[in-house]
Amino acid sequence: MISDELRQAAEHGRVCALAAQGQRDLQRCLTAHPDLFAEGPFDGALTSTIAMVTAFSAPRCSAAELRLTNRAVLWVFALDWQVDRLATSAAALDRLVQGQLRVADGAPPLADDPLGRFLAVLHADLAAAPAFDRLGGAWRAAARRSLLAMRREWQWKTAMGDGIPPRPTLAEYLDNADNLASTLVNVVQWIRTGAAEAEAQLDRLVVVSDAVQRALRLVNDLSTYERDLRWGDLNAIMLVDDRSVVEQELKRLVAEATELLEELRDDCPREAEYLTRQLGYTTGFYRSTDFWGVS
């Protein structure tokens, strides 16, 4: 009994050490890009939570294998902050989105685009992965989907704030779940680690990741509704007459994702485990706290 507890505690310690190494790298990113991370909630707590979710989702990976994944999550948070908090007009938002799309395609960032400069470093590191020559198109597609989804949500949120109907349906909202960008991050993980050897395999992983992403979208919304009200953000609960509708939809989405994960397990056991742990960890995390530390 004691030996089992020791082994379990040692494994937990190893995963926490993996997260600690990830956090240190993310802190170096904050220091290297002060014009991007000088303001807002980009502190040690945020980098810690990012590093923890990747470490607990992929405990078999090394710190080196998770470095780009962690940095991709940090870029997504920086992008989300700029879209939701700093974009004051449709024109400004379009400039932001188009600038990131160009960099995701391999173009150099503009001189006045600190977010694009951070993405350019991420893109260069990802392009050095052996699988990128074959799978770079999947990266570009995932980046485009997330950027356009964030723009679409901003348009919905702005229209609702101005009282312009119609508001999106819950189904339309979930179809736009790429604004969460977890599939984008997962594509980075799979290209970097060589998990997907062929485009067909990565396409299948993206389908399952999208199912998990839709569930995570509602996990997030159910936990952050009060904050979204204060910030003026869009939330699934705002689109229905009763919170229980979202809760029931989440149960359905989790069941759907679980079925796909079981089907994936025989052919891609490590990737199925990664997505399962991602779903479970995030669900548990949001029961107590949020990634953003600002009120």
Side-chain angles (χ1 to χ4, degrees):
M1 179 66 176
I2 294 295
S3 61
D4 290 342
E5 291 176 349
L6 284 173
R7 281 194 295 270
Q8 185 179 50
E11 175 61 13
H12 290 167
R14 188 189 66 80
V15 175
C16 288
L18 187 62
Q21 292 176 77
Q23 182 185 9
R24 290 187 181 112
D25 178 73
L26 290 177
Q27 288 296 131
R28 288 191 288 269
C29 290
L30 299 191
T31 302
H33 298 271
D35 48 352
L36 179 59
F37 299 115
E39 298 179 358
F42 298 100
D43 57 9
L46 180 63
T47 57
S48 174
T49 55
I50 290 172
M52 282 192 293
V53 71
T54 56
F56 278 90
S57 296
R60 301 187 195 185
C61 288
S62 66
E65 288 176 317
L66 292 182
R67 184 174 63 88
L68 279 185
T69 307
N70 284 327
R71 290 184 174 193
V73 178
L74 183 60
W75 176 77
V76 167
F77 271 91
L79 170 64
D80 185 62
W81 184 258
Q82 293 206 11
V83 170
D84 284 346
R85 308 264 68 84
L86 303 182
T88 57
S89 68
L93 179 63
D94 284 343
R95 285 194 298 273
L96 172 65
V97 169
Q98 292 303 318
Q100 302 313 297
L101 284 173
R102 287 193 298 271
V103 176
D105 284 340
L110 299 177
D112 61 347
D113 182 9
L115 183 63
R117 288 198 297 274
F118 186 44
L119 178 58
V121 175
L122 171 65
H123 179 273
D125 288 346
L126 185 61
F132 190 82
D133 285 345
R134 301 188 307 278
L135 304 177
W139 148 257
R140 290 186 288 272
R144 176 172 291 275
R145 286 169 58 191
S146 288
L147 284 159
L148 296 183
M150 286 188 180
R151 181 172 67 182
R152 188 181 189 195
E153 184 180 12
W154 186 92
Q155 292 167 339
W156 281 337
K157 178 184 71 174
T158 302
M160 288 176 62
D162 293 339
I164 301 173
R167 63 183 183 181
T169 65
L170 181 58
E172 290 171 333
Y173 181 77
L174 289 170
D175 283 343
N176 199 53
D178 277 303
N179 69 321
L180 195 65
S182 63
T183 291
L184 168 61
V185 170
N186 294 341
V187 167
V188 170
Q189 166 76 5
W190 292 325
I191 292 176
R192 167 61 182 84
T193 60
E197 299 296 337
E199 186 173 357
Q201 182 179 332
L202 185 56
D203 287 346
R204 183 182 180 193
L205 292 176
V206 166
V207 169
V208 183
S209 176
D210 283 349
V212 172
Q213 181 174 247
R214 287 189 290 272
L216 291 177
R217 176 71 276 173
L218 295 190
V219 167
N220 178 294
D221 284 8
L222 286 166
S223 301
T224 61
Y225 175 63
E226 297 297 330
R227 188 205 69 195
D228 288 339
L229 283 177
R230 293 194 303 272
W231 283 14
D233 284 346
L234 190 58
N235 186 294
I237 299 173
M238 302 171 187
L239 307 178
V240 297
D241 295 329
D242 193 294
R243 180 188 179 98
S244 64
V245 174
V246 177
E247 294 170 341
Q248 289 301 312
E249 181 64 11
L250 174 58
K251 290 180 181 178
R252 187 190 71 79
L253 291 174
V254 169
E256 178 184 87
T258 301
E259 182 177 350
L260 289 172
L261 287 167
E262 287 299 328
E263 294 172 357
L264 182 68
R265 198 169 302 278
D266 287 342
D267 297 328
C268 305
R270 189 170 178 176
E271 291 69 53
E273 179 189 45
Y274 167 79
L275 289 170
T276 300
R277 291 177 67 92
Q278 184 182 81
L279 177 59
Y281 178 90
T282 307
T283 300
F285 180 89
Y286 272 118
R287 288 175 181 166
S288 299
T289 190
D290 184 12
F291 282 89
W292 291 122
V294 293
S295 60

